[in-house]
Amino acid sequence: MNALKYLAGYPLHLQARVRELIGQGRLGATLAEKYGQPHTVRNDGQLYHYVHALKHQHLRKSAPLGKVVYDAKLQVMKHALGTHTTVSRVQGSRLKASREIRIASVFRDAPAEFLKMIVVHELAHLKEAEHNKSFYQLCTHIEPDYHQLEFDVRLYLTHLETEQRQCLPPPQF
Ligand SMILES: [Zn+2]
């Protein structure tokens, strides 16, 4: 049995339910039913505007954003699916901290809600570095459905990996 690496932190009964859906070949269809809407954030310029708009709405006072890009090389698991780094630059005599957000490029083709979840996660890190209680409070303040979306993003990534492993389509009944 394959370990569900994206779901390791979740209760076993949920993991069992996911294995059941995978076994029945229904995980992809279940997600597609719930999240049918693609998004139009296709390139780095559009991503920058998308992230800025959300930040302007919810986190106006936090540190200004630097670069915002899709990153094809980003290992999805490395830092909860995206990364946020603080790049310090010396400008004259002042040190200016600039925040950079990289989003794994798998989210370019993901449903709209999943891109939002990962962007909310990275924006929340502008205020909270750790994955602590106030971090998740901030995430759910920006996106009330955050926890469900994070779980479903993990299902989606599990689904993509399962597809890649299968050379043949499942039998049709
Ligand atoms: Zn994080």
Side-chain angles (χ1 to χ4, degrees):
M1 184 152 309
N2 296 308
L4 297 172
K5 66 176 182 184
Y6 296 112
L7 299 166
Y10 288 85
L12 291 177
H13 71 273
L14 278 179
Q15 296 190 34
R17 175 79 186 118
V18 175
R19 283 204 177 85
E20 199 179 304
L21 283 172
I22 293 170
Q24 296 165 341
R26 286 176 49 219
L27 182 55
T30 304
L31 286 169
E33 259 169 44
K34 197 169 171 187
Y35 300 105
Q37 201 64 251
H39 60 76
T40 54
V41 187
R42 305 305 306 166
N43 56 45
D44 291 343
Q46 290 165 344
L47 183 63
Y48 183 88
H49 287 294
Y50 178 82
V51 174
H52 259 263
L54 265 178
K55 181 182 183 294
H56 186 72
Q57 204 178 339
H58 300 284
L59 288 166
R60 212 170 295 187
K61 286 178 188 152
S62 62
L65 278 177
K67 207 167 150 187
V68 180
V69 291
Y70 280 120
D71 188 341
K73 290 192 292 272
L74 197 64
Q75 289 297 308
V76 172
M77 281 301 281
K78 204 166 180 187
H79 179 87
L81 325 163
T83 64
H84 49 90
T85 50
T86 305
V87 184
S88 290
R89 273 193 301 259
V90 179
Q91 294 192 338
S93 60
R94 285 186 311 181
L95 193 68
K96 187 184 175 191
S98 154
R99 299 292 194 132
E100 179 177 308
I101 289 180
R102 291 179 177 268
I103 301 294
S105 56
V106 66
F107 289 99
R108 185 161 36 205
D109 300 311
E113 293 90 341
F114 296 172
L115 175 66
K116 184 166 184 197
M117 177 260 139
I118 198 66
V119 168
V120 167
H121 183 106
E122 297 308 329
L123 280 175
H125 274 309
L126 294 178
K127 281 184 86 171
E128 290 290 340
E130 305 294 326
H131 294 140
N132 55 23
K133 197 175 172 201
S134 47
F135 173 81
Y136 285 108
Q137 276 172 350
L138 185 54
C139 288
T140 51
H141 172 74
I142 303 174
E143 170 51 64
D145 229 10
Y146 179 85
H147 289 293
Q148 182 66 51
L149 285 177
E150 183 174 326
F151 180 71
D152 288 340
V153 162
R154 290 166 185 278
L155 286 186
Y156 179 70
L157 296 170
T158 302
H159 167 64
L160 293 182
E161 283 207 353
T162 310
E163 295 271 282
Q164 278 172 6
R165 274 201 302 270
Q166 290 166 347
C167 300
L168 293 167
Q172 302 289 321
F173 293 105

